[in-house]
Amino acid sequence: MTMDRQDKIYVAGHRGLVGSAIIRRLKADGYENLVLRTSKELDLREQQAVRDFFAEEKPHYVILAAAKVGGILANDTLPAEFLYDNLMMEANVIHSSYRNGVKKLLALGSTCIYPKLAAQPLKEEYLLTGPLEPTNEWYAVAKIAGIKLCQAYRRQYGCNFIAAMPTNLYGPGDNFDLGASHVMPALMRKFHDAKLESRATVTVWGSGKPLREFLHVDDLADAGLFLLEHYNDDDIVNIGVGEDISIAELASIVRDVVGFEGEIVYDASKPDGTPRKLVDVSKISGLGWRAKIDLREGVAQTYQWFLENQTDLRGVC
Ligand code: GDP
């Protein structure tokens, strides 16, 4: 399936980390017929509002990048919001896409859908083979429902709805609020503030031992468009780099990039979360896609963006 430059594309969640990267990429590729609504203009949790919006706009393609997201702390403390908001957004957007004849829909999930103790690297087929990581099970259950909605609408109605699972993301547009952010922007902000205030130490949560994989959002946008062009199946597809590093190694990279010269201390009272999260990328590699942005370069580019935009940073999305 080839998207035409004139096709109307609705990117839900275009102000978030993922959505904004997809918009940058679509615009760079010459797609101009983009339909965008902020969450204030269109509350995706409201069924009637979503119905009216789809009936009026009739998009050809839908990229579902809207979600209630957050790091380990936010997920653990706002379970009802993480479950309800995400379920409602997915159900409304997917059902309206079906009702309005959307040609193809790409739903973006997360690798936290995989069981906490699944073998690594995480293969797509491990979905629903064991219990989830308790600190983010609310979000994970909602995202699994999103996958199942895509599969159900394909099976029952023949809709070409696909679902992709990106690994931990970072990049311009991330959430740098310490109460809600993921580890990468949190560390960037902590090292940055500590450098400015000439502090002796920076505290990193947990043991520093958990392993995580980090994908730049521009790579994700590239993969998303690749899948829209080349993938038409009901199985989920992982999007990752295929390599992980420890939180301690990440902290040291971010410290170098920011230029903080003090010590790192670990706060064992904060949770580690799942011990390792690395995706198996053989499926998407087999289709012909791979990540291109080197981690250190990506961190440096993101820090540059942070420096230029810190007065204008968003809170929890
Ligand atoms: P996760 O990948 O779903 O566990 O979410 P996070 O990105 O929030 O956390 C990843 C890992 O980084 C966990 O082991 C955290 O304990 C650790 N971590 C270390 N320092 C921080 C921090 O300042 N903020 C966050 N969010 N995580 C941190």
Side-chain angles (χ1 to χ4, degrees):
M1 161 160 313
T2 308
M3 290 196 297
D4 285 328
R5 296 296 185 267
Q6 300 74 31
D7 281 335
K8 194 181 253 196
I9 306 173
Y10 170 46
V11 180
H14 71 284
R15 300 224 284 201
L17 172 67
V18 171
S20 59
I22 289 172
I23 293 293
R24 276 198 301 282
R25 175 56 192 268
L26 286 169
K27 286 188 173 161
D29 283 1
Y31 292 96
E32 277 161 10
N33 197 359
L34 307 179
V35 192
L36 308 173
R37 293 286 187 283
T38 63
S39 51
K40 275 214 179 76
E41 290 162 347
L42 174 61
D43 184 340
L44 293 174
R45 295 167 301 185
E46 296 296 333
Q47 186 181 44
Q48 194 58 49
V50 177
R51 281 186 178 172
D52 293 345
F53 164 76
F54 270 81
E56 190 188 318
E57 291 289 353
K58 298 262 180 215
H60 301 114
Y61 292 90
V62 172
I63 300 174
L64 182 44
K68 165 86 186 169
V69 296
I72 196 164
L73 190 65
N75 241 286
D76 212 18
T77 48
L78 306 171
E81 283 175 47
F82 274 82
L83 187 51
Y84 177 81
D85 290 6
N86 286 308
L87 282 173
M88 293 304 285
M89 289 190 242
E90 293 160 356
N92 287 335
V93 170
I94 290 171
H95 188 68
S96 279
S97 294
Y98 149 62
R99 291 274 294 262
N100 290 278
V102 164
K103 283 190 203 165
K104 192 162 183 179
L105 174 145
L106 167 66
L108 291 161
S110 152
T111 52
C112 66
I113 55 143
Y114 292 114
K116 176 184 171 97
L117 298 176
Q120 307 273 334
L122 297 160
K123 291 184 195 298
E124 286 88 350
E125 70 218 44
Y126 298 164
L127 176 64
L128 291 173
T129 56
L132 299 163
E133 157 60 39
T135 53
N136 58 27
E137 66 177 333
W138 319 102
Y139 181 76
V141 164
K143 286 287 147 186
I144 293 170
I147 295 169
K148 291 292 158 193
L149 280 166
C150 289
Q151 294 174 343
Y153 279 68
R154 176 182 291 276
R155 184 174 299 186
Q156 190 173 341
Y157 305 124
C159 299
N160 193 1
F161 294 172
I162 60 172
M165 301 301 124
T167 193
N168 286 24
L169 298 166
Y170 72 98
D174 211 338
N175 184 347
F176 289 83
D177 171 73
L178 287 183
S181 57
H182 283 100
V183 61
M184 173 82 82
L187 293 183
M188 213 169 264
R189 156 132 266 157
K190 284 182 182 176
F191 285 122
H192 175 78
D193 291 350
K195 180 178 135 182
L196 293 192
E197 292 159 19
S198 304
R199 286 211 298 269
T201 60
V202 157
T203 305
V204 173
W205 296 353
S207 64
K209 293 193 182 115
L211 296 163
R212 294 287 185 279
E213 177 186 18
F214 296 94
L215 179 74
H216 193 284
V217 267
D218 290 347
D219 267 336
L220 170 67
D222 189 54
L225 293 206
F226 175 87
L227 291 173
L228 276 174
E229 294 282 338
H230 300 287
Y231 188 73
N232 301 295
D233 225 326
D234 69 347
D235 288 334
I236 57 175
V237 186
N238 290 334
I239 307 177
V241 290
E243 273 172 38
D244 56 4
I245 63 167
S246 70
I247 296 301
E249 286 172 285
L250 175 74
S252 127
I253 292 176
V254 179
R255 174 173 63 181
D256 289 354
V257 166
V258 172
F260 170 71
E261 286 170 356
E263 296 293 310
I264 295 172
V265 294
Y266 291 93
D267 176 1
S269 72
K270 291 283 194 305
D272 267 347
T274 197
R276 188 173 186 207
K277 210 159 47 169
L278 173 67
V279 295
D280 185 309
V281 289
S282 33
K283 188 166 184 173
I284 196 164
S285 307
L287 293 166
W289 185 87
R290 62 175 182 81
K292 295 165 196 74
I293 302 172
D294 166 76
L295 182 61
R296 199 171 273 270
E297 276 168 31
V299 171
Q301 183 253 13
T302 304
Y303 185 52
Q304 194 54 40
W305 182 90
F306 169 82
L307 291 176
E308 287 161 13
N309 294 274
Q310 33 174 340
T311 50
D312 192 28
L313 293 175
R314 70 205 173 88
V316 188
C317 71

